[in-house]
């Protein structure tokens, strides 16, 4: 249901909220989520490094965080089968 949820959220964001672009973040290791975002038209736009200092007794974990973007125009083209 992830694909359906992303499509519904994207449609709402572009049609009801009049946003021009969406950004979704996903950890690089989460290949399933990356595939779902790509299937919905999101394209990789950046990679960031995120540190989690929540546990001071352990070494900080560093995650690669991928940012993916989808424009209103790209979404409209996908929704219309283009």
């Amino acid at each position: 249901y992830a694909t359906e949820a992303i499509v519904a959220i994207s449609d709402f964001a572009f049609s009801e909220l009049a946003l021009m672009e969406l950004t979704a973040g996903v950890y690089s290791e989460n290949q399933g989520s990356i595939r779902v975002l790509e299937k919905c038209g999101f394209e990789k736009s950046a990679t960031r490094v995120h540190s989690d200092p929540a546990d001071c007794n352990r070494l900080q974990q560093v995650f690669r965080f991928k940012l993916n973007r989808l424009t209103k125009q790209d979404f409209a083209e996908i929704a219309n089968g283009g």
Side-chain angles (χ1 to χ4, degrees):
Y1 298 103
T3 300
E4 292 87 351
I6 292 172
V7 169
I9 290 167
S10 298
D11 184 44
F12 180 81
F14 292 133
S15 63
E16 300 298 321
L17 301 178
L19 298 179
M20 298 305 293
E21 181 175 299
L22 294 176
T23 302
V26 62
Y27 290 115
S28 300
E29 297 82 13
N30 193 339
Q31 293 300 310
S33 292
I34 292 169
R35 282 191 296 277
V36 169
L37 289 172
E38 289 173 345
K39 182 179 177 180
C40 293
F42 282 78
E43 297 177 356
K44 181 181 172 189
S45 61
T47 300
R48 294 191 180 166
V49 176
H50 169 73
S51 296
D52 183 5
D55 187 350
C56 298
N57 296 325
R58 297 183 348 188
L59 293 174
Q60 289 183 345
Q61 290 185 310
V62 176
F63 299 98
R64 295 213 177 274
F65 192 71
K66 293 187 178 188
L67 292 178
N68 301 273
R69 72 189 246 313
L70 176 66
T71 65
K72 185 174 184 175
Q73 180 179 353
D74 291 340
F75 181 75
E77 290 174 8
I78 291 168
N80 292 326

